[in-house]
Amino acid sequence: MDGPRCRPTLAACFNPRELMQIPLQSSKTIRSFAAAFGLFVAGASAQADLDTATLERIRDAAMSSDYAWQRLADLSDKIGPRLSGSRGAEAAVVQVSQAMRNAGLDVRLQPVKVPHWVRGAEQAELVDYAGRPEGITQPLHLSTLGASVATPAKGIVAVVLFVRSLAELEGRAAEVPGKIVLINMPFDQNLADNGQAGTAYSQAGEARFKGPAVAARLGAAAVLVRSVGGANYRLPHTGNTSWDADGPKIPAAALAAEDAMLIERLSAQGPVKLRLLLTPKTLPDADSHNVLADLRGREKPDEVVIVSGHLDSWDLGTGAVDDGIGVASSMGALQVLQSLGIRPRRSVRMVAWMNEENGGRGGVAYQAEAKPRIETQIAAIESDFGLSGPLGFSGSINATQLKRLEAVGRVLRTIGAGVMETRAGNAGADIAPLQALGVPGFAPIVDGRHYFDLHHTAADTLDKVDPLALRRQTAVLAVLAYALAEMNEPLERVPAP
Amino acid sequence: MDGPRCRPTLAACFNPRELMQIPLQSSKTIRSFAAAFGLFVAGASAQADLDTATLERIRDAAMSSDYAWQRLADLSDKIGPRLSGSRGAEAAVVQVSQAMRNAGLDVRLQPVKVPHWVRGAEQAELVDYAGRPEGITQPLHLSTLGASVATPAKGIVAVVLFVRSLAELEGRAAEVPGKIVLINMPFDQNLADNGQAGTAYSQAGEARFKGPAVAARLGAAAVLVRSVGGANYRLPHTGNTSWDADGPKIPAAALAAEDAMLIERLSAQGPVKLRLLLTPKTLPDADSHNVLADLRGREKPDEVVIVSGHLDSWDLGTGAVDDGIGVASSMGALQVLQSLGIRPRRSVRMVAWMNEENGGRGGVAYQAEAKPRIETQIAAIESDFGLSGPLGFSGSINATQLKRLEAVGRVLRTIGAGVMETRAGNAGADIAPLQALGVPGFAPIVDGRHYFDLHHTAADTLDKVDPLALRRQTAVLAVLAYALAEMNEPLERVPAP
C-alpha cells in the first residue's frame, strides 16, 4: 500500500479486547433492527439470505487449501519486483490472468496507462563534518523516491540543512537555497505498538509525501527524508513522492534511519556536507492493465462484488507482503468458490490493481469505466496491509448495515477472524475511487504493529508470510465476498468519505 | 568479535537466575579459603587488599561520566568503518592514542603488520530458474567475505548447488565442479534466545569459517554462505573466511537469509542459475598498531592488567557495537581511575587491539613482545560481545580464585552487574594468545540474544548503544581492572584453554 489517503481507515489494527466486544445479535434483534430501518426482510430476518452451512463450507475449503500460497510464491519468488512499467509488472499481469483462467474464471485485462519510473544508481556519502579525519568519507544508505529526478551526472555536493518538520523547513526558508535538506521525522513505533501503525505512517510519511515539493519550492538542491518505517536495520524504505503541478522537481531519496540520526548528531557539532548521486529516469507512460477475473453470478451477473489487492509492488523487495498477499488471497477467494461450485446471486470479481504504489491509475481507470453504471458495483474489498492476523474485517458501512453481515462474523469467529467493525474512510487506495461514488468498502482487520518494518524495503519477501495466516485471510475474503454477493438486497450506498 | 575460537567462552550470556546465585562469602569463609590454598593473606583475609570504599568511588565515577560515550561517538560517528589497512583504521589509531594522551596516560603504539583486504563491487542476480518469465532476473543481496578473491571481471554465471551442511557438501563432491555452492546453515535464533548466542554463531558460522575452503578444494566456481545472523531484514552479515594453506581460493560471499531461502524454494523446482560479480582485492600487508595506554602502578609498574577491546571493525557498519563499545569502555575505565587520582599497585593498561576481525595479528604481536616476561602480564580483560547488560563478569579462573574478587561483585551488584562466573576457554580473541601462556582472562557478561542481529552488518551503528549500559560496562571494567591491579598477590596462572 502507499500514499496518505488510505491511512486513516487502516489505522487501528490490533486490539485484543475487540475480540470480546462483538455483539452477537439474536435473530429477533436482527429482525427488530431490520424492521426499524425499513429494510427488505424476506420472510424472516436479513440473515435469512445467508446460509450458514454454505459460509462454513467456504471457510473450511479456504482453510484447507494452499492455492493462495502457491499463487503468492509464483508472484513473489518467480517474478519478484513489479513496479509499474517494469517487465516484472507485465509478467505479473500475464501470470495472474493465466492462473485465473486455469482456475476456470472469466478473465479480462482492463487497460491502464501507468507512470514508468526507473531507479538508477543511488549513492551518498558524508564528505565533511566537524572532527572528520583527513581522507575519511562515510557511505550513507538510501533509496531514491519514486518521481525523483536525477542529480547531475557528477552528483551534488552541498551542506545539509537538518530539520525536524515541514513547519521548521518553512520557517527556515532563507537557509534552504542550495542546501541538501534532510527532513528527520521518525516513525513513531510506540504509536504503532499501540495499534495505530497507519497513523504513525501518516505522521512520519508527511515528510515523504509533501516534503520534497516544499524543499524544491524553497530552492533546495536536493532533499532527503528519514526512512518511513519501524525497524532500524539500516534499511531504506522507498516510496513515492509527488510534486506541485507547476512546481520544481529536485532529487529526492529516503535515508536509512541510522544515517539520519548520524547526521543529526554531526549537525549539532558543525556543518555537514554530503555528496549525493541519483540517476533515476522517468520514461513515457507505459501500457499496462488491471487484471479482472469474474465468477459470474447466478441471478444478477451484472452486479459485482470486488475482492482485490494490488499487483504492482515497489522495486526493492519481491512484494510478497505489499501486496502479493492481497492479490493471492483475492485469487484464492475466487478459486475457493469456483472449486466448490458455488455461484452466488451476484458476480464476484477478483481485481489485481495496477499502479497502486506510484500513481493509483488502476483504481481511477476502473472507476471511469464503472461510473456510468455505478449501481452495479455492490461492494469492494481491498486487502493491502499485510496479514498478521487477520482478526476479521471492517466496512465503511453503518452499524445497522454491519449487522446484516452477522452470519459472516459468526462463521469466521471459529478461525479467530470474527471481529466486525464499521470504519469511516477509505478501505483501500485502489477502491477509494469507487467509495467516492458511494460503493461500500471493506478491508481485513490485521495486526499492523510490524507492517512498517518491511514496508517498501528489500526485506518484503515471501518468508515474512505465515501460510496459515494466508489461509485465514483467504477465508475472510471468500466468506465476506460470497455474503455480499449473495444477500437478497445489496448493502446501502455510503456517502463518500 | 570474530572467528570461531573465542565463541565457546562467550556462549552463555543471559540467565536472570544467575543474579540470585552469587555466593556472598563472609570474611571468615574467605580467610578459610585463603588459608587452605596457601595464599598470601596480609593480616586479615585476601579481601583486605581491596578497599570497598575505593571500589565504590570508581563505580560511581564511571556511572556519572559520559567520557566513554564521547569516545564511542568519536570513533563510530567521526571515523566509522575501520577495517585493518584502511584509512579508517589508521585514523582510529591516531584518534584513540590522542584521546588517551589528553587524558594524561602513557601511550605507546605497538607495530602490527595487518592484512589489507578491500571490498569491491558485489553483485549477484538470479538469471534462470523453473517458471522464470522471459526477461526477468532478480537481484540478490550479499556481502563479499573477507579473504575472498575476485571473480573474473565479467562475473561468473553458473548453476547453484544448494546444500545444508559441510557434510552434505562433501557427500556431493561429484556435483561440485563448476557450480556456485550455496551453504544454507541458518542461525538458530531459538538457541540464541535461550542464552546460547555464541553457540548459535559457532554452529551457523561453520559454513563461513570452513565452507569456502571445502568448496574450493572440491572445484566450486564460487561459494555463497547463508548470512550468519539472527535478524532477517535482508541484511548481509559479512566476516572473514580462511583458506587451506596450500589450497585453492574462490570468490566467496555471504548471502542475505531471504535470498538463501528463495534459492532453496526455487532449487526444489529445478536448476537455479545465477550471475555473480565480486571484485575484492588483497593488497600487501599494511603497517598498523595496537594502541597501548598505561596508568602506571604505584608499586609494581612493570606488572600489567589489561583492559581492552578491538579497534578495527568490519567495513559495512560503523563498528559501534563490534567493537567500539569494547574500546570506549576500556578507555573509560582508565580515564575514571586517572580522573580520581587512583594508582593501583600494578599498572592498568588499555589496549585497543588492531586486526581482530580478519587476522588476529594484534593479539599475536602483543604476545610475542610480552612472552619473555609473561609473568608481568597479571590478567587480561576483553570486551567484545556488545553490552546489553552487562550483568557482571566471567573469568577463566577457578572458583577459589573467583572468590578473591568477591568485593568486586558486591560493589557491582548495586548497578545490576554483580554476577561473577568462572568460565573455561578464551575470554576474547585478542587475549587468547596471552591466555595460551597462562594469563587469566576476563570478559563482561552480557545479554547476547540480539547481538547477532547487527553483527558484521551495515546496521552496527551508534544508535544501537544504550548510553546507560555503556556507563555500567565502564564501571565493570574499571572496578575489575582496579581490583586485579590492586590485589596484594596476583591471581594464580591458568592452564591454557
Side-chain angles (χ1 to χ4, degrees), chain A residues 77-78 129 138 265 464, chain B residues 77-78 129 138 258 265:
Chain A
D77 279 2
K78 295 185 178 167
Y129 46 88
Q138 290 199 56
R265 292 189 298 269
K464 308 308 187 306
Chain B
D77 279 2
K78 294 185 177 167
Y129 46 90
Q138 291 199 56
E258 285 90 341
R265 292 189 298 268

Side-chain angles (χ1 to χ4, degrees), chain A residues 120-134:
Chain A
E122 41 195 18
Q123 300 169 3
E125 57 180 354
L126 296 174
V127 295
D128 207 9
Y129 46 88
R132 181 182 66 92
E134 179 72 22

Side-chain angles (χ1 to χ4, degrees), chain B residues 19-83:
Chain B
L19 287 166
M20 314 305 293
Q21 291 171 345
I22 317 155
L24 268 182
Q25 302 297 341
S26 70
S27 298
K28 186 176 167 190
T29 311
I30 294 285
R31 275 193 297 272
S32 307
F33 263 110
F37 285 77
L39 300 175
F40 177 81
V41 181
S45 77
Q47 293 302 314
D49 53 8
L50 294 179
D51 173 46
T52 296
T54 303
L55 297 176
E56 289 174 342
R57 276 175 67 212
I58 297 168
R59 175 198 66 198
D60 295 344
M63 291 301 289
S64 63
S65 167
D66 71 347
Y67 178 85
W69 178 261
Q70 294 302 335
R71 299 293 74 72
L72 183 59
D74 277 357
L75 200 58
S76 60
D77 279 2
K78 294 185 177 167
I79 297 175
R82 305 178 295 280
L83 190 59

Side-chain angles (χ1 to χ4, degrees), chain A residues 118-442:
Chain A
V118 180
R119 185 179 305 278
E122 41 195 18
Q123 300 169 3
E125 57 180 354
L126 296 174
V127 295
D128 207 9
Y129 46 88
R132 181 182 66 92
E134 179 72 22
I136 296 292
T137 60
Q138 290 199 56
L140 302 172
H141 291 236
L142 79 179
S143 69
T144 315
L145 294 183
S148 172
V149 297
T151 61
K154 285 185 177 176
I156 294 170
V157 177
V159 169
V160 175
L161 177 65
F162 180 90
V163 298
R164 290 184 175 79
S165 66
L166 298 190
E168 183 183 350
L169 178 58
E170 296 272 10
R172 297 175 67 181
E175 300 172 65
V176 174
K179 301 269 177 46
I180 295 176
V181 168
L182 168 56
I183 310 172
N184 186 56
M185 293 172 66
F187 182 85
D188 186 343
Q189 187 62 47
N190 266 336
L191 196 60
D193 287 345
N194 285 300
Q196 300 290 322
T199 303
Y201 180 68
S202 292
Q203 288 179 356
E206 190 183 37
R208 195 190 89 210
F209 307 140
K210 302 179 184 171
V214 175
R217 174 169 50 77
L218 297 177
V223 58
L224 303 174
V225 301
R226 176 170 168 152
S227 198
V228 182
N232 296 337
Y233 285 92
R234 219 164 179 186
L235 264 184
H237 298 237
T238 193
N240 218 41
T241 192
S242 58
W243 305 108
D244 294 339
D246 300 315
K249 298 177 182 179
I250 56 178
L255 191 62
E258 285 89 341
D259 294 321
M261 291 187 271
L262 171 62
I263 292 175
E264 177 173 12
R265 292 189 298 269
L266 293 175
S267 290
Q269 300 173 59
V272 171
K273 190 180 281 187
L274 65 79
R275 188 182 75 84
L276 177 70
L277 174 71
L278 305 175
T279 67
K281 287 182 187 165
T282 300
L283 304 175
D285 284 0
D287 289 317
S288 190
H289 302 88
N290 291 328
V291 180
L292 281 50
D294 287 359
L295 179 80
R296 282 175 62 81
R298 69 174 189 277
E299 285 185 9
K300 301 180 176 183
D302 289 350
E303 296 189 3
V304 172
V305 170
I306 289 172
V307 55
S308 67
H310 65 82
L311 193 49
D312 61 310
S313 77
W314 272 103
D315 56 336
L316 301 180
T318 67
V321 174
D322 185 12
D323 182 28
I325 286 168
V327 171
S329 55
S330 295
M331 294 171 77
L334 255 69
Q335 191 269 345
V336 163
L337 298 177
Q338 172 78 357
S339 67
L340 292 173
I342 292 174
R343 295 218 167 236
R345 215 175 296 277
R346 301 175 191 81
S347 294
V348 180
R349 173 172 292 168
M350 191 289 300
V351 184
W353 306 102
M354 181 51 65
N355 188 226
E356 190 272 347
E357 293 294 3
N358 61 337
R361 304 272 186 91
V364 171
Y366 186 94
Q367 188 222 41
E369 185 186 295
K371 196 170 185 178
R373 297 189 62 224
I374 193 66
E375 69 282 0
T376 63
Q377 305 294 311
I378 301 305
I381 311 169
E382 180 161 10
S383 159
D384 185 20
F385 207 63
L387 57 43
S388 292
L391 303 173
F393 68 88
S394 62
S396 65
I397 55 179
N398 63 34
T400 306
Q401 292 291 301
L402 190 67
K403 288 196 176 72
R404 297 178 61 196
L405 295 166
E406 180 271 334
V408 174
R410 182 158 33 82
V411 165
L412 293 177
R413 182 181 292 200
T414 63
I415 58 167
V419 178
M420 295 167 58
E421 281 191 4
T422 176
R423 284 193 193 162
N426 289 322
D430 299 293
I431 63 174
L434 293 175
Q435 292 191 260
L437 299 179
V439 178
F442 292 84

Side-chain angles (χ1 to χ4, degrees), chain A residues 20-92:
Chain A
M20 314 305 292
Q21 290 171 348
I22 318 154
L24 268 183
Q25 303 298 340
S26 69
S27 297
K28 186 176 164 188
T29 312
I30 294 286
R31 276 193 295 272
S32 306
F33 263 108
F37 285 78
L39 301 174
F40 176 82
V41 181
S45 77
Q47 294 300 316
D49 53 7
L50 295 178
D51 172 47
T52 296
T54 304
L55 298 175
E56 289 173 344
R57 277 176 66 212
I58 296 168
R59 175 199 65 199
D60 295 344
M63 291 301 290
S64 63
S65 168
D66 71 346
Y67 179 86
W69 178 261
Q70 294 302 334
R71 299 292 74 72
L72 182 59
D74 278 356
L75 200 58
S76 60
D77 279 2
K78 295 185 178 167
I79 297 176
R82 305 177 296 280
L83 190 59
S84 288
S86 69
R87 283 186 178 183
E90 291 322 290

